[in-house]
Coordinates of all heavy atoms in Angstrom, one line a residue:
M1 N 3.7 -7.0 -6.1 CA 2.6 -6.3 -5.5 C 1.5 -6.0 -6.4 O 0.4 -6.0 -6.1 CB 3.2 -5.0 -4.9 CG 2.1 -4.1 -4.2 SD 2.7 -2.6 -3.6 CE 2.8 -1.6 -5.1
W2 N 1.8 -5.7 -7.7 CA 0.8 -5.3 -8.6 C -0.1 -6.5 -8.9 O -1.3 -6.3 -9.0 CB 1.5 -4.9 -9.9 CG 2.4 -3.7 -9.7 CD1 3.7 -3.7 -9.9 CD2 2.1 -2.4 -9.2 NE1 4.2 -2.4 -9.6 CE2 3.2 -1.7 -9.1 CE3 0.9 -1.8 -8.7 CZ2 3.3 -0.4 -8.6 CZ3 0.9 -0.5 -8.2 CH2 2.1 0.2 -8.2
E3 N 0.4 -7.7 -8.9 CA -0.5 -8.9 -9.0 C -1.5 -9.0 -7.9 O -2.7 -9.3 -8.1 CB 0.3 -10.2 -9.1 CG 1.1 -10.4 -10.4 CD 2.0 -11.6 -10.4 OE1 1.6 -12.6 -9.7 OE2 3.0 -11.7 -11.0
V4 N -1.0 -8.7 -6.7 CA -1.9 -8.8 -5.5 C -3.0 -7.7 -5.7 O -4.2 -7.9 -5.4 CB -1.1 -8.6 -4.2 CG1 -2.0 -8.4 -3.0 CG2 -0.2 -9.8 -4.0
L5 N -2.6 -6.5 -6.1 CA -3.6 -5.4 -6.2 C -4.6 -5.7 -7.3 O -5.8 -5.3 -7.2 CB -2.9 -4.1 -6.5 CG -2.1 -3.5 -5.3 CD1 -1.3 -2.3 -5.7 CD2 -2.9 -3.3 -4.1
E6 N -4.2 -6.4 -8.4 CA -5.1 -6.7 -9.4 C -6.2 -7.6 -9.0 O -7.3 -7.7 -9.5 CB -4.4 -7.3 -10.6 CG -3.6 -6.4 -11.4 CD -2.8 -7.0 -12.5 OE1 -2.7 -8.2 -12.6 OE2 -2.1 -6.3 -13.3
E7 N -6.0 -8.4 -7.9 CA -7.0 -9.3 -7.3 C -7.9 -8.6 -6.3 O -8.8 -9.2 -5.8 CB -6.3 -10.5 -6.6 CG -5.5 -11.3 -7.6 CD -4.6 -12.3 -6.9 OE1 -4.6 -12.4 -5.6 OE2 -3.8 -13.0 -7.6
C8 N -7.6 -7.4 -6.0 CA -8.4 -6.7 -4.9 C -9.7 -6.1 -5.5 O -9.8 -5.8 -6.7 CB -7.6 -5.5 -4.4 SG -6.2 -6.0 -3.4
D9 N -10.7 -6.0 -4.6 CA -12.0 -5.3 -5.0 C -11.8 -3.8 -4.8 O -10.8 -3.4 -4.3 CB -13.2 -5.9 -4.2 CG -13.1 -5.7 -2.7 OD1 -12.4 -4.7 -2.2 OD2 -13.6 -6.6 -2.0
Q10 N -12.8 -3.1 -5.1 CA -12.7 -1.6 -5.1 C -12.5 -1.1 -3.6 O -11.8 -0.1 -3.4 CB -14.0 -1.0 -5.6 CG -14.1 -1.1 -7.1 CD -13.0 -0.5 -7.9 OE1 -12.7 0.7 -7.7 NE2 -12.3 -1.3 -8.8
D11 N -13.1 -1.7 -2.7 CA -12.9 -1.3 -1.3 C -11.5 -1.5 -0.8 O -10.9 -0.7 -0.2 CB -13.9 -2.1 -0.3 CG -15.3 -1.6 -0.5 OD1 -15.6 -0.5 -0.9 OD2 -16.2 -2.4 -0.1
Q12 N -10.9 -2.7 -1.2 CA -9.5 -2.9 -0.9 C -8.6 -2.0 -1.6 O -7.6 -1.5 -1.0 CB -9.2 -4.4 -1.2 CG -9.9 -5.4 -0.3 CD -9.7 -6.8 -0.8 OE1 -9.8 -7.1 -2.1 NE2 -9.5 -7.7 0.1
L13 N -8.9 -1.6 -2.8 CA -8.0 -0.7 -3.5 C -8.1 0.7 -2.9 O -7.1 1.4 -2.8 CB -8.5 -0.6 -5.0 CG -8.1 -1.8 -5.8 CD1 -8.7 -1.7 -7.2 CD2 -6.6 -2.1 -5.9
G14 N -9.3 1.1 -2.4 CA -9.5 2.3 -1.7 C -8.7 2.3 -0.4 O -8.0 3.3 0.0
D15 N -8.7 1.2 0.3 CA -7.9 1.0 1.5 C -6.4 1.1 1.2 O -5.6 1.8 2.0 CB -8.2 -0.3 2.2 CG -9.6 -0.4 2.9 OD1 -10.2 0.7 3.1 OD2 -10.0 -1.5 3.1
F16 N -6.0 0.5 0.1 CA -4.6 0.6 -0.3 C -4.2 2.1 -0.6 O -3.1 2.6 -0.1 CB -4.3 -0.3 -1.5 CG -2.9 -0.1 -2.0 CD1 -1.8 -0.7 -1.4 CD2 -2.7 0.7 -3.1 CE1 -0.5 -0.5 -1.9 CE2 -1.4 0.9 -3.6 CZ -0.3 0.2 -3.0
L17 N -5.0 2.7 -1.3 CA -4.7 4.1 -1.7 C -4.6 5.0 -0.4 O -3.8 5.8 -0.3 CB -5.8 4.6 -2.6 CG -5.5 5.9 -3.3 CD1 -4.3 5.8 -4.2 CD2 -6.7 6.3 -4.2
K18 N -5.6 4.8 0.5 CA -5.5 5.5 1.8 C -4.3 5.2 2.6 O -3.7 6.1 3.2 CB -6.8 5.2 2.6 CG -6.9 6.1 3.8 CD -8.3 6.0 4.4 CE -8.6 7.1 5.3 NZ -9.9 7.1 5.7
F19 N -3.9 3.9 2.6 CA -2.7 3.5 3.3 C -1.4 4.2 2.8 O -0.6 4.7 3.5 CB -2.5 2.0 3.2 CG -1.3 1.5 3.9 CD1 -1.1 1.5 5.3 CD2 -0.2 1.0 3.1 CE1 0.0 1.0 5.9 CE2 0.9 0.4 3.7 CZ 1.0 0.5 5.1
V20 N -1.4 4.4 1.5 CA -0.2 4.9 0.9 C -0.2 6.5 0.8 O 0.8 7.1 0.9 CB 0.1 4.3 -0.5 CG1 1.3 5.0 -1.2 CG2 0.3 2.8 -0.4
T21 N -1.4 7.0 0.5 CA -1.5 8.5 0.3 C -2.1 9.2 1.4 O -2.1 10.5 1.4 CB -2.2 8.7 -1.0 OG1 -3.6 8.4 -0.8 CG2 -1.6 8.0 -2.2
G22 N -2.9 8.6 2.3 CA -3.6 9.3 3.3 C -5.0 9.6 2.8 O -5.8 10.2 3.6
C23 N -5.4 9.3 1.6 CA -6.7 9.7 1.1 C -7.3 8.4 0.3 O -6.5 7.8 -0.4 CB -6.6 10.9 0.2 SG -8.2 11.4 -0.4
S24 N -8.5 8.1 0.5 CA -9.1 6.9 -0.2 C -9.5 7.1 -1.6 O -9.9 6.2 -2.3 CB -10.3 6.4 0.6 OG -11.3 7.4 0.7
R25 N -9.4 8.3 -2.1 CA -9.7 8.6 -3.5 C -8.6 9.4 -4.2 O -7.9 10.1 -3.5 CB -11.0 9.5 -3.6 CG -12.2 8.8 -3.0 CD -13.4 9.6 -3.1 NE -14.4 9.2 -2.1 CZ -15.3 9.9 -1.6 NH1 -15.4 11.2 -2.0 NH2 -16.1 9.5 -0.7
L26 N -8.6 9.3 -5.5 CA -7.6 10.1 -6.3 C -8.1 11.5 -6.3 O -9.3 11.8 -6.2 CB -7.6 9.6 -7.7 CG -6.9 8.2 -7.9 CD1 -7.0 7.8 -9.4 CD2 -5.4 8.3 -7.5
P27 N -7.2 12.5 -6.4 CA -7.6 13.9 -6.6 C -8.4 14.0 -7.8 O -8.3 13.2 -8.8 CB -6.3 14.6 -6.7 CG -5.2 13.7 -6.1 CD -5.7 12.3 -6.4
M28 N -9.3 15.0 -7.9 CA -10.1 15.2 -9.0 C -9.4 15.3 -10.3 O -9.8 14.8 -11.4 CB -11.0 16.5 -8.9 CG -12.1 16.3 -7.9 SD -13.2 17.8 -7.8 CE -13.8 17.9 -9.4
N29 N -8.2 15.9 -10.3 CA -7.4 16.0 -11.5 C -6.4 14.9 -11.6 O -5.4 15.0 -12.4 CB -6.7 17.4 -11.5 CG -7.7 18.5 -11.6 OD1 -8.8 18.4 -12.2 ND2 -7.4 19.6 -11.0
G30 N -6.5 13.9 -10.8 CA -5.5 12.8 -10.8 C -4.2 13.2 -10.1 O -4.1 14.3 -9.6
F31 N -3.2 12.4 -10.2 CA -1.9 12.8 -9.7 C -1.2 13.7 -10.7 O -1.2 13.4 -11.9 CB -1.0 11.5 -9.5 CG -1.5 10.6 -8.4 CD1 -1.9 9.4 -8.7 CD2 -1.4 11.0 -7.1 CE1 -2.3 8.5 -7.6 CE2 -1.8 10.2 -6.0 CZ -2.3 9.0 -6.3
D32 N -0.7 14.8 -10.2 CA 0.0 15.7 -11.1 C 1.4 15.0 -11.4 O 1.7 14.0 -10.7 CB 0.2 17.1 -10.6 CG 0.9 17.2 -9.3 OD1 1.8 16.4 -9.0 OD2 0.7 18.2 -8.5
S33 N 2.1 15.6 -12.2 CA 3.4 15.0 -12.7 C 4.4 14.9 -11.6 O 5.4 14.1 -11.7 CB 4.0 15.7 -13.9 OG 4.2 17.1 -13.5
S34 N 4.2 15.7 -10.5 CA 5.2 15.6 -9.4 C 4.9 14.6 -8.4 O 5.7 14.4 -7.5 CB 5.4 17.0 -8.8 OG 4.2 17.4 -8.2
R35 N 3.7 14.0 -8.5 CA 3.3 13.0 -7.4 C 3.1 11.6 -8.1 O 2.3 11.5 -9.0 CB 2.0 13.4 -6.8 CG 2.1 14.8 -6.1 CD 2.9 14.8 -4.9 NE 2.2 14.2 -3.8 CZ 2.7 14.3 -2.6 NH1 3.8 14.9 -2.3 NH2 2.0 13.8 -1.6
Y36 N 3.8 10.7 -7.6 CA 3.6 9.3 -8.1 C 3.9 8.3 -7.0 O 4.6 8.7 -6.0 CB 4.5 9.1 -9.3 CG 5.9 9.5 -9.2 CD1 6.9 8.6 -8.6 CD2 6.3 10.8 -9.5 CE1 8.2 9.0 -8.4 CE2 7.6 11.2 -9.3 CZ 8.5 10.3 -8.8 OH 9.8 10.7 -8.6
L37 N 3.4 7.1 -7.2 CA 3.6 6.1 -6.1 C 5.1 5.6 -6.2 O 5.5 5.2 -7.3 CB 2.6 5.0 -6.4 CG 2.7 3.8 -5.4 CD1 2.4 4.2 -4.0 CD2 1.8 2.7 -5.9
V38 N 5.7 5.6 -5.1 CA 7.1 5.0 -5.0 C 7.0 3.7 -4.3 O 6.5 3.7 -3.2 CB 8.0 6.0 -4.3 CG1 9.4 5.4 -4.1 CG2 8.1 7.3 -5.1
V39 N 7.6 2.7 -4.8 CA 7.6 1.4 -4.2 C 9.1 1.1 -3.9 O 9.9 1.0 -4.8 CB 7.0 0.3 -5.0 CG1 7.1 -1.1 -4.3 CG2 5.6 0.6 -5.4
K40 N 9.4 0.8 -2.6 CA 10.8 0.4 -2.3 C 10.7 -1.0 -1.7 O 9.9 -1.2 -0.8 CB 11.4 1.4 -1.2 CG 11.6 2.8 -1.8 CD 12.3 3.6 -0.8 CE 12.7 5.0 -1.4 NZ 13.4 5.8 -0.4
I41 N 11.5 -1.8 -2.2 CA 11.6 -3.2 -1.7 C 13.0 -3.4 -1.1 O 14.0 -3.1 -1.7 CB 11.3 -4.2 -2.8 CG1 9.9 -4.0 -3.4 CG2 11.5 -5.6 -2.3 CD1 9.6 -4.8 -4.6
Y42 N 13.0 -3.9 0.1 CA 14.3 -4.2 0.7 C 14.4 -5.6 1.0 O 13.5 -6.3 1.3 CB 14.6 -3.3 2.0 CG 13.6 -3.5 3.1 CD1 13.8 -4.4 4.1 CD2 12.4 -2.7 3.1 CE1 12.9 -4.5 5.2 CE2 11.5 -2.8 4.2 CZ 11.7 -3.7 5.2 OH 10.8 -3.9 6.2
N43 N 15.6 -6.1 0.9 CA 15.9 -7.6 1.0 C 16.4 -7.9 2.4 O 17.6 -7.8 2.6 CB 16.8 -8.0 -0.1 CG 16.9 -9.5 -0.1 OD1 16.2 -10.3 0.5 ND2 17.9 -10.0 -0.9
N44 N 15.5 -8.2 3.3 CA 16.0 -8.6 4.6 C 15.6 -10.0 5.0 O 16.0 -10.4 6.1 CB 15.5 -7.6 5.7 CG 14.1 -7.6 5.9 OD1 13.3 -8.3 5.2 ND2 13.6 -6.9 6.9
G45 N 14.9 -10.7 4.1 CA 14.5 -12.0 4.4 C 13.6 -12.2 5.6 O 13.4 -13.2 6.2
N46 N 12.8 -11.1 5.9 CA 11.9 -11.1 7.1 C 10.5 -11.2 6.6 O 10.0 -10.2 6.1 CB 12.2 -9.9 7.9 CG 11.4 -9.9 9.2 OD1 10.5 -10.7 9.4 ND2 11.8 -9.1 10.2
N47 N 9.8 -12.3 6.8 CA 8.4 -12.5 6.4 C 7.5 -12.0 7.5 O 6.3 -12.2 7.4 CB 8.1 -14.0 6.1 CG 8.7 -14.4 4.8 OD1 8.7 -13.6 3.8 ND2 9.1 -15.6 4.6
T48 N 8.0 -11.5 8.6 CA 7.1 -11.1 9.7 C 6.8 -9.6 9.7 O 5.8 -9.2 10.3 CB 7.7 -11.5 11.1 OG1 9.0 -10.8 11.2 CG2 8.0 -13.0 11.2
K49 N 7.6 -8.8 9.1 CA 7.3 -7.4 9.1 C 6.2 -7.0 8.2 O 6.0 -7.6 7.1 CB 8.6 -6.6 8.6 CG 9.7 -6.6 9.7 CD 10.7 -5.6 9.3 CE 10.2 -4.2 9.2 NZ 10.7 -3.2 10.1
L50 N 5.4 -6.0 8.5 CA 4.4 -5.4 7.7 C 4.9 -4.4 6.8 O 6.0 -3.7 7.1 CB 3.3 -4.8 8.6 CG 2.5 -5.8 9.4 CD1 1.5 -5.0 10.3 CD2 1.7 -6.8 8.5
P51 N 4.3 -4.1 5.7 CA 4.7 -3.0 4.8 C 4.5 -1.7 5.6 O 3.7 -1.6 6.5 CB 3.6 -3.0 3.7 CG 3.1 -4.4 3.6 CD 3.2 -4.9 5.1
E52 N 5.3 -0.7 5.2 CA 5.3 0.6 5.8 C 4.9 1.6 4.7 O 5.2 1.5 3.5 CB 6.6 1.0 6.3 CG 7.2 0.1 7.4 CD 8.6 0.5 7.7 OE1 9.1 1.6 7.4 OE2 9.3 -0.4 8.4
A53 N 4.2 2.7 5.1 CA 3.8 3.7 4.2 C 4.3 5.1 4.7 O 4.3 5.3 5.9 CB 2.3 3.8 4.0
H54 N 4.7 5.9 3.8 CA 5.1 7.3 4.1 C 4.2 8.2 3.2 O 4.5 8.5 2.1 CB 6.6 7.5 3.7 CG 7.5 6.6 4.4 ND1 7.9 6.8 5.7 CD2 8.0 5.4 4.0 CE1 8.7 5.8 6.1 NE2 8.8 4.9 5.1
T55 N 3.0 8.6 3.8 CA 2.0 9.2 3.0 C 2.4 10.5 2.4 O 1.9 10.9 1.4 CB 0.7 9.4 3.9 OG1 1.0 10.1 5.1 CG2 0.1 8.1 4.3
C56 N 3.3 11.3 3.1 CA 3.7 12.6 2.6 C 4.4 12.4 1.2 O 4.4 13.3 0.4 CB 4.6 13.3 3.5 SG 3.8 13.8 5.0
F57 N 5.0 11.2 1.0 CA 5.8 11.0 -0.2 C 5.2 10.0 -1.1 O 5.8 9.7 -2.2 CB 7.2 10.5 0.2 CG 8.0 11.4 1.2 CD1 8.1 11.1 2.5 CD2 8.4 12.6 0.7 CE1 8.8 11.9 3.4 CE2 9.1 13.5 1.6 CZ 9.3 13.1 2.9
Y58 N 3.9 9.6 -0.8 CA 3.3 8.5 -1.6 C 4.2 7.3 -1.8 O 4.4 6.8 -2.9 CB 2.8 9.1 -3.0 CG 1.7 10.1 -2.9 CD1 1.3 10.7 -1.7 CD2 1.1 10.5 -4.1 CE1 0.3 11.6 -1.7 CE2 0.0 11.4 -4.1 CZ -0.4 12.0 -2.9 OH -1.4 12.9 -2.8
E59 N 4.7 6.9 -0.7 CA 5.7 5.8 -0.8 C 5.3 4.6 0.1 O 4.8 4.8 1.2 CB 7.1 6.4 -0.2 CG 8.2 5.4 -0.2 CD 9.4 6.0 0.4 OE1 10.2 6.6 -0.4 OE2 9.6 6.0 1.6
I60 N 5.5 3.4 -0.5 CA 5.3 2.2 0.3 C 6.6 1.4 0.3 O 7.3 1.4 -0.7 CB 4.1 1.3 -0.3 CG1 3.9 0.1 0.6 CG2 4.4 1.0 -1.8 CD1 2.6 -0.6 0.3
V61 N 6.9 0.9 1.5 CA 8.2 0.2 1.7 C 7.8 -1.3 2.0 O 7.1 -1.5 3.0 CB 9.0 0.8 2.8 CG1 10.3 0.0 3.0 CG2 9.3 2.2 2.5
L62 N 8.2 -2.2 1.2 CA 7.9 -3.6 1.3 C 9.1 -4.5 1.6 O 10.1 -4.3 0.9 CB 7.3 -4.1 0.0 CG 6.0 -3.5 -0.4 CD1 5.7 -4.0 -1.9 CD2 4.9 -3.9 0.5
P63 N 9.0 -5.4 2.6 CA 10.1 -6.4 2.7 C 10.0 -7.3 1.4 O 9.0 -7.4 0.8 CB 9.7 -7.2 3.9 CG 8.8 -6.3 4.7 CD 8.1 -5.5 3.7
N64 N 11.1 -7.9 1.1 CA 11.1 -8.9 0.0 C 10.5 -10.2 0.5 O 11.3 -11.1 0.9 CB 12.5 -9.0 -0.5 CG 12.6 -9.8 -1.8 OD1 11.5 -10.0 -2.5 ND2 13.7 -10.3 -2.2
Y65 N 9.2 -10.3 0.5 CA 8.6 -11.5 1.1 C 8.9 -12.7 0.2 O 9.2 -12.6 -1.0 CB 7.1 -11.3 1.1 CG 6.6 -10.3 2.1 CD1 6.0 -9.1 1.6 CD2 6.9 -10.4 3.4 CE1 5.6 -8.1 2.5 CE2 6.5 -9.4 4.3 CZ 5.8 -8.3 3.8 OH 5.5 -7.3 4.7
S66 N 8.9 -13.9 0.8 CA 9.3 -15.1 0.1 C 8.2 -15.7 -0.8 O 8.5 -16.6 -1.6 CB 9.7 -16.2 1.1 OG 8.6 -16.5 2.0
S67 N 7.0 -15.2 -0.7 CA 5.9 -15.6 -1.6 C 4.9 -14.6 -1.8 O 4.7 -13.6 -1.0 CB 5.3 -16.9 -1.1 OG 4.5 -16.6 0.1
K68 N 4.1 -14.7 -2.9 CA 3.0 -13.8 -3.2 C 1.9 -13.9 -2.1 O 1.3 -12.9 -1.7 CB 2.4 -14.2 -4.6 CG 1.2 -13.3 -4.9 CD 0.7 -13.8 -6.3 CE -0.7 -13.3 -6.5 NZ -1.3 -13.8 -7.8
E69 N 1.7 -15.1 -1.6 CA 0.7 -15.3 -0.5 C 1.0 -14.5 0.7 O 0.2 -13.9 1.4 CB 0.5 -16.8 -0.2 CG -0.1 -17.6 -1.4 CD 0.9 -17.9 -2.5 OE1 2.1 -17.8 -2.3 OE2 0.3 -18.1 -3.6
I70 N 2.3 -14.6 1.1 CA 2.7 -13.8 2.3 C 2.6 -12.3 2.0 O 2.1 -11.6 2.9 CB 4.2 -14.2 2.7 CG1 4.2 -15.7 3.2 CG2 4.7 -13.3 3.8 CD1 5.6 -16.2 3.5
L71 N 3.0 -11.9 0.9 CA 2.9 -10.5 0.5 C 1.4 -10.0 0.6 O 1.1 -9.0 1.2 CB 3.4 -10.2 -0.9 CG 3.0 -8.9 -1.5 CD1 3.6 -7.7 -0.7 CD2 3.4 -8.8 -3.0
K72 N 0.5 -10.9 0.1 CA -0.9 -10.5 0.1 C -1.4 -10.4 1.6 O -2.1 -9.5 2.0 CB -1.8 -11.5 -0.7 CG -3.2 -11.2 -0.7 CD -4.0 -12.1 -1.6 CE -5.4 -11.6 -1.7 NZ -6.2 -12.4 -2.7
E73 N -1.1 -11.4 2.4 CA -1.5 -11.4 3.8 C -1.0 -10.2 4.5 O -1.8 -9.5 5.2 CB -1.0 -12.7 4.5 CG -1.2 -12.7 5.9 CD -0.4 -13.8 6.7 OE1 0.1 -14.8 6.0 OE2 -0.2 -13.7 7.9
K74 N 0.3 -9.9 4.4 CA 0.9 -8.7 5.1 C 0.3 -7.4 4.6 O 0.0 -6.5 5.3 CB 2.4 -8.8 5.0 CG 3.0 -10.0 5.6 CD 2.7 -10.1 7.1 CE 3.4 -11.3 7.7 NZ 3.1 -11.5 9.1
L75 N 0.1 -7.3 3.3 CA -0.4 -6.1 2.7 C -1.8 -5.8 3.1 O -2.2 -4.7 3.5 CB -0.3 -6.1 1.2 CG -0.7 -4.8 0.4 CD1 0.3 -3.7 0.9 CD2 -0.6 -5.0 -1.1
M76 N -2.7 -6.9 3.1 CA -4.1 -6.7 3.5 C -4.1 -6.4 5.0 O -5.0 -5.6 5.4 CB -4.9 -8.0 3.3 CG -5.1 -8.3 1.8 SD -6.0 -7.0 0.9 CE -4.7 -6.4 -0.2
T77 N -3.3 -7.0 5.8 CA -3.2 -6.6 7.3 C -2.9 -5.2 7.4 O -3.5 -4.4 8.2 CB -2.2 -7.5 8.0 OG1 -2.6 -8.9 7.9 CG2 -2.1 -7.1 9.5
A78 N -1.8 -4.7 6.7 CA -1.4 -3.3 6.8 C -2.4 -2.3 6.4 O -2.6 -1.3 7.1 CB -0.1 -3.1 6.0
I79 N -3.1 -2.6 5.3 CA -4.0 -1.6 4.8 C -5.4 -1.6 5.5 O -6.1 -0.6 5.4 CB -4.3 -1.7 3.3 CG1 -5.0 -3.0 2.9 CG2 -3.0 -1.6 2.5 CD1 -5.4 -3.1 1.4
T80 N -5.7 -2.6 6.2 CA -7.0 -2.7 6.9 C -6.9 -2.5 8.4 O -7.9 -2.2 9.1 CB -7.7 -4.0 6.7 OG1 -6.9 -5.1 7.1 CG2 -8.0 -4.2 5.2
A81 N -5.7 -2.6 9.0 CA -5.5 -2.6 10.5 C -6.0 -1.4 11.1 O -6.7 -1.4 12.2 CB -4.1 -2.9 10.8
G82 N -5.7 -0.2 10.6 CA -6.1 1.0 11.2 C -7.1 1.9 10.5 O -7.3 3.0 10.8
R83 N -7.7 1.3 9.5 CA -8.6 2.1 8.6 C -9.7 2.8 9.3 O -10.1 3.9 8.9 CB -9.1 1.3 7.4 CG -10.1 0.3 7.8 CD -10.7 -0.4 6.6 NE -11.4 -1.6 7.1 CZ -11.5 -2.7 6.4 NH1 -10.9 -2.8 5.2 NH2 -12.2 -3.7 6.9
D84 N -10.2 2.3 10.3 CA -11.3 2.9 11.0 C -10.9 3.9 12.1 O -11.7 4.6 12.7 CB -12.3 1.8 11.7 CG -12.9 1.0 10.6 OD1 -13.2 1.5 9.5 OD2 -13.2 -0.2 10.9
C85 N -9.6 3.9 12.3 CA -9.0 4.8 13.3 C -8.6 6.2 12.8 O -8.3 7.1 13.5 CB -7.8 4.2 14.0 SG -8.2 2.6 14.8
F86 N -8.6 6.3 11.5 CA -8.1 7.5 10.8 C -9.3 8.3 10.3 O -10.4 7.8 10.1 CB -7.2 7.2 9.7 CG -6.0 6.4 10.1 CD1 -5.9 5.0 9.8 CD2 -5.0 7.0 10.9 CE1 -4.8 4.3 10.3 CE2 -3.9 6.2 11.3 CZ -3.8 4.9 11.0
L87 N -9.1 9.6 10.1 CA -10.1 10.4 9.5 C -10.4 10.0 8.1 O -9.6 9.6 7.3 CB -9.6 11.9 9.4 CG -9.3 12.6 10.8 CD1 -8.7 14.0 10.6 CD2 -10.6 12.7 11.6
Q88 N -11.7 10.0 7.8 CA -12.1 9.6 6.4 C -11.9 10.8 5.5 O -12.2 11.9 5.8 CB -13.6 9.3 6.4 CG -14.0 8.1 7.4 CD -13.3 6.8 7.0 OE1 -13.3 6.5 5.8 NE2 -12.7 6.2 7.9
G89 N -11.3 10.5 4.3 CA -11.0 11.5 3.3 C -11.1 11.0 2.0 O -11.3 9.9 1.6

C-alpha cells in the first residue's frame, strides 16, 4: 500500500486521508500519540472486494490483493467513489 501512496498526487493523498480518517487534512498539531493509522490485511484471495475504512479508529482494512496494480485500482476506487457525497472537512 505504501508504494501505491508514494505514487499519488496531493489530491489523491487528501482523498486517502479523508477515506481513512474522515478529514482531508491532518490536525494542526498532527496526530497525537494515541492516534495512528492502522492497516489490517486479510488473506481471503478475493480481488473483487474494495478496501474498507473505519474512520473512528483511523483504520483501513485491505484484502490481500494478488498484485500492486489491483491494489492501486481498488484503493483509488474506494477513496474517490463517495468523496463528493460527504461533508468537506
Side-chain angles (χ1 to χ4, degrees):
M1 181 182 77
W2 304 117
E3 289 178 26
V4 170
L5 291 175
E6 287 174 354
E7 297 171 2
C8 291
D9 62 30
Q10 291 299 309
D11 289 335
Q12 291 169 321
L13 291 174
D15 289 341
F16 173 78
L17 193 60
K18 189 169 192 169
F19 177 70
V20 177
T21 68
C23 186
S24 60
R25 298 183 204 155
L26 290 174
M28 285 184 61
N29 297 328
F31 289 113
D32 64 30
S33 61
S34 66
R35 302 293 278 192
Y36 48 89
L37 179 64
V38 175
V39 180
K40 292 185 176 180
I41 300 173
Y42 59 94
N43 189 11
N44 68 353
N46 188 342
N47 283 326
T48 61
K49 286 192 60 119
L50 292 173
E52 300 172 16
H54 304 278
T55 57
C56 293
F57 304 107
Y58 291 11
E59 178 181 271
I60 185 167
V61 180
L62 298 170
N64 188 17
Y65 297 114
S66 60
S67 71
K68 178 181 164 185
E69 291 74 24
I70 294 173
L71 168 60
K72 183 174 185 175
E73 173 193 343
K74 298 300 183 183
L75 187 60
M76 293 299 114
T77 298
I79 68 174
T80 60
R83 72 174 164 214
D84 296 328
C85 300
F86 302 107
L87 295 174
Q88 299 298 312

